[in-house]
Structure formats: structure tokens, C-alpha cells
Amino acid sequence: MSGRARVTLFAMLATLLTSWSLAALVDSSGWVLEAGALLAVQSAVGAGVRRVPLGRTLTVASQVLVSLLVLMFLFAGKGESTGTGPMAYLVTDFGALFRQGVQDVGEFAIPAPLTDGIRLLLLSGVLLIGLLVDLLAVTLRTAAAAGLPLLALYSVAAGLSGGSGASWISFLLAGCGYLLLLLAEGRDRLAQWGRVFGAAPSARAASGAGYGGVGAGSGQALAPVRTGRRIGAVALGIALAVPAALPALGGGLLGAQGGESGDGGIGVGGTISAVNPLVSLQGSLNAQDNRVVLKYRTDSPQLGEQYLRILALDEFNGVKWEASGRTLTDVPERLPAPPGLSGEVRQTAVEVRTSVSAADTYAQRYLPMPYPATSVDIPGKWRFEPAGRTLVGDQLGRDRFQNVQGAMYTVRSLLLRPTAEQLQAAPAPDPLIRAEYTKIPDNLPAVVADTARQVTKGAKDDYTRAVKLQDYFAVNGGFRYDTKVASGTGSQAIARFLADKEGFCIHFAFSMAAMSRSLGIPARVAVGFTPGEKQSDGSVNVSMRDAHAWPELYFEGVGWTRFEPTPRQGITIPDYSRADVPAAQPSAPTALPSQGAAQPSAAPSKADDCPPEAKKLGECGVAAPQAKGGSGGGGPSLQTVLTWTLSIVALLALPLLPLLWRTRLRKRRLAAGQVLRAWQELADAAWDVGIAPDEALSPRRAAARIAELGRLTPEAAQAVQRVAEAVERSLYAPPGTEATYAGLGTDVLLARTALLAPLSRGGRVRAVFLPRSAARLRWSAAARWSALTAAVAARLAPVAALLSRTRARLPLRGRG
């Protein structure tokens, strides 16, 4: 095996070993074998193209082209496009699957299921890193720099997994791969100097401190490669041993140690760490497939109030809302009474039963359930947080936690029915609750509190203030619902939202909660799902687009109470927040089906006066059938097809560029009818087959050399000789002598055909498609660049001289 082939092999191996750190991000590691096969194909293409040889740019372009084609054929048909034909098979499905993978990354928790989209992202990322490593280590022969993309790959895996994916095994594999790559390149560089270190050194040299030494009585030299292996092994051992010996260093790239946990994890002390589950909420609202994550059945008489609450964010630090760390307890058989609930409101409440089934793809550690729950029946290890009335999955082992994935559970909860009069007459809240849930950061912009006071001007109680705040956002404030708006962080995020007046549930819930706290009303933000879409069999489907955030305000005697400031279709406005015109709910929901969960119907329904929330729950009768627009094809747009077509054509035409350039240049030279240009074409034709030009030879000697090395036939040799004689007449004959002749172009083409004839098939392909004379392009570009820089320097010379004279005339200050 040659030195470059060995470096190619170890570059591929280093990438594959480093990619193992990504295995912890998904629940299956079978993709690693596919990545190894694809890396082998990509490396083989690079090795083959370098043997031709081609330029560095064409080498990388060939690897990119083959990798893209292999990925397209590997994942063709796995997308959900409706197009037909090879273009849809190779391009449309591939692009749709790539977009689906990006969505899956935002929707699934780690370890995520190995969907086709995520598998495509993993393989594409590994191939990209492998291409960079191969480019740096083999093509550019700088193996040390190849550690940068390998480090980037390992760091991304360690960052996404929160430490679980960056175990000491992953670190050891990545480090060994990089060291093997360095040693392979070092051995290749030493081999270029010959067998310098093959002989055994003298005893004096062996006992010295030079390169290696001689073992006792062994008589063999220690080569620098062997010394390098020992240094690498010692370095890896230190990197693994030092963090274990010094716990303070355990949080680096080797990941979390001991009892540390990631976001939302359970620490050693049995508390919930601060967590922000809103990272994927916007992605859930914008999800294209609108997949169902929960299904439930309930005996609630008001399905519009059946919100599935995950947890409450009760701490606002000026940058974001998050759940504060609180003590966990065992889940009691009967959950304690909700805080602040009085007997009067409890008497009018109805206890409802809800049976929930979670999808296998929904890996949430916090249990979605109606609020306030009174009892929960669920298998597995769960813990209870009393303040937020939340169930959170317990730790099952190192980096493993209980979650709701595929679980079936039953929740009993209270359907509270407070009246506007009860909320308006609520006494002052408990001082401890007021102190904790009315905290606002010092850096909160003054416009937040000023707007809250202006909107609630004239209100005499907290309930009226809360209703005015809700109506300001949802009814009369001019706000617009848009899930494409960036969620934003920082103390100015709420101020920007109040000024722009567009956003989605996060903006509305955060802003109303912050404004309520500025008015002295205890508030927090709840995260969960709206009631979902009722099905014909009586069950309800909850999909990704039902993800929602809403503010909860505390009223003594009622407890934490939901308000709805988000102006979104399908959102149920609570009865108690409509003080003037309460909207009565039906006593029992009907079992009529409601189609089109993913997309709202554009056709009018039979009951145009039915509220949006009742329409969504199937309580308004059957909607009119939706007319199908367009051609019904549903395939890719013309712009998409043209873009992908042009891209593929450009990639396929890239290897043909040298051929097209030589063909065009040959036609121009021969069409001119000039002897010297025809002679240059003949010299380039000989160069393309391996006969390099020699400018020191006379035309007649050069022609004889071409005929001999090219093994030309007598007829072709005479044609070359005629061209050479014409060149001599052009250069040395008296002025006025006619140098050219009628068959000049024919002789050049005859000589070119004869030069290609004795070559093998591979040699002819090399001469035609990858002509060696294309080096003139690089020479021409370098000459033009030199001329350009010289011209710019000449133009700037007077300015530089003027600046130099001006600087010389300036007084020098500070001299002693």
C-alpha cells in the first residue's frame, strides 16, 4: 500500500471513529455501518481521481458529486412527495426528506428515534466531515489541520447530548482515530526520505537522548513513528485519567460526571433543575406533518376546557421564563388539594376522568394532564412536584429517565367553574404567594409596566385588570398572531413585542404574565396543549400544532386560573373572563367528526355563527366539503424542478469542462489559419498524450521528437514535419514569404488522431477528458493576476509617495 493510500484509509477511519460520538443522539446505531460504507465510497473516489491525476478542485467536485448521487439513490422514495418521474424520485423526495429531518431534530428529545430524515442528516453530516478531513489530510497533505473538522464533529455531539454522547469511549475512539491519521502521514513523509532509520545505531547513540533508543540487547532502532505512538498513547491516557482524578474538570468535552443532569434532569438532591421546554414550541406550531402525539377520551361536559398542561414556568429573570428548582416527592394516591381553592368553588366543580395514550415518538419527561389533577394512574417511575402540580419522570439509570413515550395513563381532575363575581370579589392573595409570584427583574423595560397601567386604567380590582389585559392582546389591541416571528430573548423582547404587535402564544403569555406581575397580580406561564381535535369515535387527537402557552393568574378562593390573551383560531376563551357577555358552553359535546386537523378548512360551514373553538371540537355540525384547488398534482413547483435540474446538470457538466475548453480552443486555432497557432495546437495535442513540450528544441527537432515518442505512422510523421517546415518559414524566411499552406489544419488533426491511436482506452479517456495542456489556464490566470497587481501598484505609487512625504513633514512629538 502506498503512503497516500494509507493516509486516505486512516482519514476515513478517523472520521468513522469520531462519528461514533453521534450514536448517543438516536436510539439506534445501525446508521454507523451505513456511514462507514458511504465514507469508503467517497474515499475510494478521491483515491481513484488522484491517481489520474486531476486538479484538487476536480477531485473534491468528483467526491461531492458521487456522494450526492449515492445519498439520493439511498433515500429515494422515502419522502412523502406526490410527484412522478425520475426528477421527483431523486430530487423532490430527497429535498422533502431533508426538510423533514430538520423538523424531527426540533421535535424529538435525545435519544431521538432514527427516522429517515434524521438518518439523512447524520449521514450527510458525517460525509461532509469526511470530505473535509480527506481534503486536508490527503489532497492538501496537512493532516494536523484535519483535526479541526473532527473536533467540530465531536463537539457538536457532546453539546447536543449534554454529556451523555461524549463518554470516555467516544473520546478515546476519536482521539485514537486522529492519532492514527497523524502517524500515517508522518510515516508517509519519512518514507519520502528513504530508509534513513533502518540501521541499528551505535551504542553511544543508543544510550543518548536522540530519536528513540535501543532496547537492552535488542539491537533494533526505535523509529520516530514508534516514539510517536508512545507519545500518543500517553497523551490519551492523561486526557482520560486527569478528569477522573480531578472532578472539577469533568464537565468538559468528556461530558457530565456523577449526578449532574441535563435540562430538566433530576439532581442529586431530588429537585427539578431549571428547564425551558419552549425551545421546540415554535417548531411544533410550524410542523408540516402535524403528527399526533396524544390521544385521549374524557367524560368532561366541557371539552373546550380540557387543556393538557405539562408544567408551569414560574421564574422570570428578565431574559426568559423558566421553572424554578423545587423539591420532588413520591406521587400520592390522592393528590393534595389545589392551592387557594375554597369550598364554595369546590362545590360547583365536577370531577372528570381522562384516559390518555401517548405516541411512541413523543418522549416528554413531564406528564401532560388536565389541571388541577386529583389522582393519576400511570405505570413507571414518576415524581410529584406539589407547587406546580406536575409529574416528572424519575431517573432510571445513568443518563436515562422515565418519560411518557408510548404510555397509557388515566387522570382524574377537577373541572372548575368559577364565576366572574367570585373572581372579582376574591380577597388579597397569601403574602407568600404574592411575594414569590410578583417578582419582576430590575432590567424589565419601563414600557411594560407603563402599558399595563395604561391598559387597566380605571379598573378597581385584580380580576377586572386581568380581563382588560386579556382583551388588550386578544381583542382590541391590534395584535396579530404569527408563528413565523422569532421568539426572542432578553429584557427587550417584551418591549419589542408590544411595539411590533405580532407574535405567537409565547409572546402573548409571557407579556401578559409580566404585565400582571407589574400590577401586583401573582402570575406564571403554563405550557402544554389545547384540547385537540375531536374524532368521529369520540376520542380526541392532540397534534404538534396544538402546542400552546398561556398565563395563569392567582386568585384567592379559586387558585391558579387560566386566561387566554392569544388571538388564535381554535382557542377557548374561559367563561369567567367574559364578564360582559359570557359564552355558554353546550351541556354535552356531540360525536360528529371533524376533518382537516392539519389544515383549516377554507369552505363555509353550515353554522357560520359557531365560535372557532366549538368548530374545532366538532360541536357545530358537519362542515361543507372543502373544494380542492389547483391541478391536484401536489408535486413540486416549476421553480424547484428547474433549480434542481440546473444544479444536477452543472454537477454532471463539471468533469466535461476541460474537454469543452480544449475543443473550443482547437477550433479557434485551426480556423485562424496561422502557422504558429497551428503549431501550438500540435504541441498541446502531444502534451495531452504525455509528450511534454520542450521549448529549447528547434521546430524540426521537436517534430522528430513528437513522431518518435508518439509512435506515429509515416503519414502522420510527414504531416508533423510539414507543419514544422511551415513554422521555420514563418520564423526565418524573408519578409513576404508565404508560410501557411492549404492543408495546415488537416495535418494537425491527422497528427492528433495518430497520437491518440496507440494509447490504451484509459489513456485516450485521460487525454480527451482531462488534457494535460489545461495547465495553460492556471498559467494564464497567474499571469493576469500578476499584471493586475502590478497595474494597481503602479496606480497607487503616487498616492503612497504622497503619504510618505506627508508623514515625513509631520512634527515628531514627545522627543526629549
Side-chain angles (χ1 to χ4, degrees), residues 77-434:
K78 296 185 179 297
E80 297 182 357
S81 68
T82 57
T84 57
M87 185 60 62
Y89 183 75
L90 292 178
V91 178
T92 311
D93 290 1
F94 185 75
L97 192 62
F98 193 89
R99 292 191 297 271
Q100 183 60 51
V102 175
Q103 295 172 10
D104 291 342
V105 169
E107 293 173 4
F108 293 119
I110 295 174
L114 187 60
T115 64
D116 290 329
I118 293 180
R119 186 162 63 98
L120 173 61
L121 292 182
L122 289 173
L123 294 179
S124 302
V126 172
L127 282 178
L128 177 60
I129 297 298
L131 179 64
L132 294 176
V133 172
D134 186 84
L135 171 64
L136 294 172
V138 188
T139 304
L140 301 180
R141 305 184 69 85
T142 55
L148 294 177
L150 294 175
L151 178 62
L153 178 62
Y154 181 83
S155 300
V156 167
L160 291 178
S161 62
S164 61
S167 64
W168 68 271
I169 298 179
S170 300
F171 176 78
L172 182 63
L173 291 176
C176 286
Y178 181 54
L179 288 178
L180 290 174
L181 174 60
L182 293 179
L183 292 173
E185 192 214 26
R187 183 174 180 178
D188 180 40
R189 290 183 181 274
L190 287 175
Q192 297 176 11
W193 293 87
R195 306 177 66 87
V196 178
F197 301 98
S202 62
R204 179 177 300 179
S207 60
Y211 281 116
V214 179
S218 65
Q220 292 183 346
L222 285 179
V225 174
R226 186 179 301 179
T227 304
R229 287 198 295 263
R230 294 183 177 182
I231 294 175
V234 172
L236 278 177
I238 293 175
L240 292 172
V242 170
L246 302 177
L249 299 181
L253 291 180
L254 291 180
Q257 302 288 334
E260 295 180 5
S261 60
D263 287 349
I266 302 175
V268 178
T271 61
I272 301 178
S273 303
V275 65
N276 190 353
L278 300 173
V279 175
S280 61
L281 179 55
Q282 186 174 14
S284 301
L285 295 173
N286 291 323
Q288 297 296 322
D289 59 352
N290 196 30
R291 66 188 62 181
V292 175
V293 294
L294 297 169
K295 292 186 178 182
Y296 68 88
R297 293 179 180 271
T298 182
D299 57 2
S300 173
Q302 290 182 293
L303 195 56
E305 297 293 331
Q306 196 73 5
Y307 278 53
L308 298 180
R309 184 173 172 275
I310 297 177
L311 80 164
L313 311 178
D314 53 8
E315 187 173 295
F316 182 41
N317 57 15
V319 177
K320 60 183 178 180
W321 287 81
E322 56 187 5
S324 58
R326 296 183 183 275
T327 303
L328 298 176
T329 64
D330 294 334
V331 181
E333 183 177 352
R334 186 77 178 178
L335 302 184
L341 183 62
S342 65
E344 181 182 359
V345 178
R346 177 66 178 84
Q347 290 177 357
T348 61
V350 177
E351 187 172 68
V352 298
R353 183 178 182 272
T354 305
S355 299
V356 187
S357 174
D360 292 334
T361 57
Y362 184 58
Q364 170 64 253
R365 284 190 55 212
Y366 292 86
L367 189 68
M369 56 185 182
Y371 182 88
T374 56
S375 66
V376 182
D377 182 12
I378 182 173
K381 296 181 64 177
W382 296 87
R383 304 277 283 171
F384 178 62
E385 192 273 290
R389 301 184 68 82
T390 301
L391 261 66
V392 59
D394 201 355
Q395 188 165 8
L396 301 177
R398 179 177 177 82
D399 303 322
R400 292 196 310 113
F401 299 90
Q402 180 72 55
N403 60 45
V404 73
Q405 189 174 13
M408 300 181 65
Y409 56 99
T410 302
V411 181
R412 292 189 177 274
S413 59
L414 294 178
L415 177 61
L416 300 179
R417 297 173 175 175
T419 63
E421 291 76 13
Q422 290 173 329
L423 292 169
Q424 194 169 12
D430 183 271
L432 295 178
I433 292 181
R434 178 187 290 273

Side-chain angles (χ1 to χ4, degrees), residues 599-611:
Q599 296 292 339
S601 174
S605 64
K606 290 185 177 181
D608 292 336
D609 56 345
C610 184

Side-chain angles (χ1 to χ4, degrees), residues 743-771:
L744 178 63
T746 304
D747 284 345
V748 173
L749 295 178
L750 176 62
R752 178 177 179 272
T753 303
L755 287 170
L756 293 174
L759 298 179
S760 63
R761 179 178 300 178
R764 286 195 297 270
V765 171
R766 167 70 173 84
V768 173
F769 288 93
L770 301 170

